[in-house]
Amino acid sequence: MFIDIPSELEASLIERSLPPWELDGSFLAQSTMADYRTELTAAPRFEEVSATLRHALTGEGGGYAVLRLGNLAKVLGTGDWFRRLATGFVAEVAVPFSPFPRWPLWKDIGVKVDKDPGKSSGIGYNAFHMDLVNATRPPDYSTLLCVRPDPLGGGPSILSDAHAAVARLSENSRALLAETAYHYGTFFDLHGVGEEYKPFPILDGSDPGEGFVRFTAKMLERSQLGQAHADAARELAEELVRGQVSFMLQPGDYLIVNQRRFLHGREALHSGQETVPVADRRLLLQLFLRAGAGDGSAV
């Protein structure tokens, strides 16, 4: 769902000032969340937009939303004040946090032509995945704020309903995906996401349609999997592509993905990225959210 910001709310937000955030460990401090809420809920129609956002993420059939903050970005720029505003919006959904000590809350995702093309900062196709798939407590939400799209016109975001894709699989494939037989990636120096989970089941929930679908298509090429388990994962990858939606994020668009429902990725950037100055290349800012009261103190 794309959510436009009413003009009266935009006008009010431009005039408001939010204090710098404080962190409690790797989580946004509850005092900062309370300050932001007090200021933002005084703005006309803010609570209406917040309710629409929560429903888009957690209501029946939902799982992702794009807040259209482009008009605010044009006026405010995309610096600290704008990031505080975006943080205030998603703090109405869950607790913002950063699992990476190197980045205090927001993480830059730029474009590096010499990186692995399939990585988030690469230039190639970034296949369907959930972030931090190999953590015992992955982020409940992954969010991406678009500062600059690919100036050459590539890199649409792709999303797919993970549970809908699973439901289209054979019973045998679902049984294989529920086995603790999968692994991917490394795990070190991460905060607020539990411990390393290796091996793990792709279908990580006691009931169909619930829990994480712990999947990254990269495991098919970069992890040693048994043939039957690899075939089941490959079948899931094909169903995710079959059910995907895609769209181009514009400057100021803020994508929020409920990782318990949807997986995400990105089509390849347009060829010729090496000709684009670094300062003009695609730039996203990433922020994670932890659902549930009291999770701000989780380790």
Side-chain angles (χ1 to χ4, degrees):
M1 173 184 283
F2 286 78
I3 303 174
D4 292 311
I5 308 301
S7 57
E8 59 264 47
L9 176 55
E10 288 180 335
S12 180
L13 292 175
I14 289 169
E15 300 299 323
R16 295 180 181 275
S17 179
L18 298 179
W21 58 67
E22 295 183 2
L23 300 181
D24 179 5
S26 58
F27 289 79
L28 187 67
Q30 292 292 326
S31 58
T32 297
M33 292 180 64
D35 289 343
Y36 285 8
R37 184 157 219 284
T38 297
E39 184 68 25
L40 293 175
T41 54
R45 302 186 67 181
F46 177 79
E47 290 188 281
E48 173 190 328
V49 172
S50 297
T52 300
L53 175 60
R54 287 191 294 269
H55 180 75
L57 294 170
T58 63
E60 184 176 355
Y64 75 92
V66 178
L67 276 176
R68 310 304 295 267
L69 303 179
N71 290 338
L72 292 168
K74 288 178 183 177
V75 176
L76 300 172
T78 55
D80 288 346
W81 160 225
F82 182 71
R83 297 182 195 191
R84 293 174 202 166
L85 181 61
T87 303
F89 269 105
V90 293
E92 293 291 300
V93 174
V95 183
F97 79 105
S98 172
F100 310 111
R102 179 178 169 188
W103 289 280
L105 214 56
W106 290 88
K107 174 188 176 184
D108 290 4
I109 301 179
V111 173
K112 298 178 180 178
V113 297
D114 57 346
K115 277 278 190 179
D116 179 341
K119 295 287 189 180
S120 58
S121 58
I123 62 175
Y125 175 64
N126 190 3
F128 280 114
H129 64 279
M130 69 170 290
D131 289 320
L132 298 174
V133 64
N134 60 340
T136 54
R137 300 186 68 232
D140 296 290
Y141 298 88
S142 181
T143 81
L144 294 167
L145 179 61
C146 180
V147 175
R148 288 188 303 272
D150 177 6
L152 300 180
S157 296
I158 55 175
L159 293 103
S160 192
D161 184 328
H163 292 290
V166 168
R168 294 193 294 270
L169 301 177
S170 67
E171 184 176 344
N172 182 61
S173 291
R174 291 196 296 270
L176 288 165
L177 296 174
E179 294 180 2
T180 306
Y182 297 89
H183 53 94
Y184 174 77
T186 57
F187 187 97
F188 60 92
D189 201 20
L190 298 175
H191 295 171
V193 293
E195 306 298 329
E196 183 175 16
Y197 198 3
K198 180 182 179 179
F200 54 81
I202 288 179
L203 301 187
D204 190 9
S206 57
D207 299 315
E210 296 184 3
F212 290 111
V213 176
R214 291 178 175 273
F215 181 74
T216 172
K218 298 182 183 77
M219 68 171 63
L220 294 170
E221 297 179 355
R222 305 181 188 186
S223 299
Q224 294 297 318
L225 303 175
Q227 188 63 51
H229 291 100
D231 288 345
R234 190 168 291 107
E235 185 182 348
L236 173 57
E238 293 170 355
E239 287 300 330
L240 288 166
V241 172
R242 195 187 317 277
Q244 79 176 35
V245 295
S246 66
F247 47 80
M248 187 74 74
L249 293 175
Q250 301 301 321
D253 281 352
Y254 190 15
L255 170 63
I256 303 104
V257 181
N258 183 340
Q259 292 214 118
R260 292 182 180 273
R261 298 192 179 188
F262 271 71
L263 301 179
H264 66 283
R266 184 207 65 226
E267 299 285 3
L269 303 183
H270 198 282
S271 60
Q273 293 296 314
E274 66 281 354
T275 68
V276 180
V278 173
D280 295 334
R281 291 175 184 167
R282 184 178 191 260
L283 176 61
L284 303 181
L285 304 176
Q286 187 172 45
L287 176 67
F288 296 106
L289 307 177
R290 170 71 66 217
D295 280 335
S297 60
V299 177

